[in-house]
């Protein structure tokens, strides 16, 4: 009877331990699942962060290129305006010829920057400014060219003044549009930075 009692107690202890073993196994599985989930979320966050940085770099690079092109165009307009004014006040015909040559060559820098700008992807706001730039540039070119031609040919002051005034007015319009484009691109760059920071904070939350 004692032997039977001992066996019964042993069996009872084994049966009593079985639920605990199962609970430990479930806890281990749950803990492992949490670790796997954390690893997956961490990997996803890193991929997301990398994509955010790549997209931000692309936007910033594009806006910087557009701003650089706009600055080249604006500088070209101002240089041509200075050359036109210097040619007008110069009494040396050879010096005026040099001004005229520089006046023509700087126009090439403007066209190259404009083509680089137009070749890039633009939204409707950028396209609207670019279309106005192209329209006014076409209108202003004859006035600029005639003003320089009249100066070189030593035409009457009234004729030179009239063409010079028209050319200056067109140049100012172009400069205003380029300033608008630069401000727009700076706004886009700031919006991209803010969006990048927001996505970065969201990604850190996942990690």
């Amino acid at each position: 009877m004692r032997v039977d009692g001992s066996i019964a107690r042993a069996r009872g202890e084994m049966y009593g331990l079985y639920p605990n073993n199962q609970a430990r196994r479930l806890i281990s599985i749950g803990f492992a699942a949490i670790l796997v989930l954390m690893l997956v979320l961490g990997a996803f966050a890193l991929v997301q962060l990398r994509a955010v940085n790549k997209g931000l770099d692309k936007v910033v690079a594009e806006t910087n290129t557009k701003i650089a092109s706009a600055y080249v165009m604006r500088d070209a307009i101002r240089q041509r305006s200075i050359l036109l004014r210097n040619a007008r006040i110069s009494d040396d015909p050879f010096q005026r010829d040099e001004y005229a040559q520089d006046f023509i060559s700087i126009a090439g820098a403007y066209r190259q920057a404009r083509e680089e700008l137009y070749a890039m992807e633009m939204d409707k706001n950028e396209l609207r400014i670019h279309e106005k730039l192209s329209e006014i540039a076409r209108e202003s070119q004859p006035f600029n060219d005639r003003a320089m031609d009249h100066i070189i040919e030593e035409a009457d002051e009234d004729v030179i003044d009239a063409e010079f005034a028209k050319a200056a007015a067109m140049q100012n319009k172009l400069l205003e549009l380029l300033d608008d484009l630069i401000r727009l691109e700076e706004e886009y760059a700031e919006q991209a930075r803010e969006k990048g920071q927001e996505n970065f904070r969201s990604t850190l939350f996942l990690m």
Side-chain angles (χ1 to χ4, degrees), residues 39-53 203-204 206-207:
L39 289 173
V40 171
L41 287 176
F44 173 77
L46 289 175
V47 172
Q48 185 74 7
L49 182 60
R50 194 170 300 166
V52 168
N53 290 335
T203 303
L204 288 180
L206 290 176
M207 297 177 67

Side-chain angles (χ1 to χ4, degrees), residues 6 79 136-137:
S6 299
Q79 290 178 34
I136 295 177

Side-chain angles (χ1 to χ4, degrees), residues 85-101:
R85 185 163 51 251
N86 289 343
R88 184 184 181 189
I89 63 178
S90 177
D91 295 329
D92 185 348
F94 297 103
Q95 186 68 59
R96 288 199 297 266
D97 286 340
E98 291 182 10
Y99 288 143
Q101 293 300 320

Side-chain angles (χ1 to χ4, degrees), residues 170-186:
M170 290 294 184
Q171 288 167 353
N172 288 334
K173 289 182 179 180
L174 288 172
L175 290 173
E176 290 175 0
L177 285 171
L178 288 169
D179 287 340
D180 290 342
L181 179 61
I182 291 171
R183 281 193 294 269
L184 179 63
E185 298 303 335
E186 289 175 345

Side-chain angles (χ1 to χ4, degrees), residues 65-66 69-70 72-73 107-122 130 133-134:
T65 301
K66 292 175 182 178
S69 296
V72 170
M73 294 167 67
Y110 179 92
R111 285 193 296 270
Q112 182 178 354
R114 183 189 61 191
E115 291 171 1
E116 291 176 356
L117 179 62
Y118 189 72
M120 302 186 68
E121 183 178 354
M122 291 184 286
H130 184 80
L133 280 170
S134 299

